[in-house]
Amino acid sequence: MPFEAINPPQFPTPIAPYSAGAKAGGVLYVSGMLALGEGGAVLHPGDAAAQTRHVLDAIKITVEAAGGTMADIAMNHIFLKDLADYAAFNAVYAEYFPGDKPARYCIRCDLVKPDCLVEVASVAYLA
């Protein structure tokens, strides 16, 4: 099944060969989002809450560009550099998902750049 690449124009040039999202058969797969600016510069170093907000805003922009809303997200894959940031992440996350919560998992791992603290990839059902 072919897919439609979703690349909102307000995003900086990606640091690797990927699309922000891929829509296929009524499902949107959102790439792992990091708090990166132009040229791959890490935004908000040391501030997990600010990075979480940036990441979830990027996911929201991608989902809306594909014709959906944050309420269409069914699954979030969460990656944290340090589980000490879990509470800060959850406080911001709750603002973006105030009603029924999507399924999710969270793991601690190293991320693409040392100053990146938060990465989230999402799956939304848009049919």
Side-chain angles (χ1 to χ4, degrees), residues 60-82:
K60 183 175 188 265
I61 289 167
T62 304
V63 171
E64 288 175 352
T69 71
M70 293 295 273
D72 295 318
I73 293 176
M75 179 68 179
N76 284 312
H77 313 273
I78 301 159
F79 309 92
L80 298 178
K81 182 176 180 179
D82 187 339

Side-chain angles (χ1 to χ4, degrees), residues 47-50 52-53 78 80 82-95 104 106 118:
D47 187 340
T52 300
R53 189 169 310 285
I78 301 159
L80 298 178
D82 187 339
L83 290 178
D85 293 327
Y86 191 62
F89 173 87
N90 280 328
V92 175
Y93 184 89
E95 296 172 23
R104 72 180 229 184
C106 179
V118 175

Side-chain angles (χ1 to χ4, degrees), residues 96-116:
Y96 287 79
F97 299 101
D100 290 337
K101 309 294 187 256
R104 72 180 229 184
Y105 68 81
C106 179
I107 64 169
R108 188 209 55 80
C109 62
D110 291 331
L111 300 177
V112 171
K113 294 190 171 215
D115 287 335
C116 289

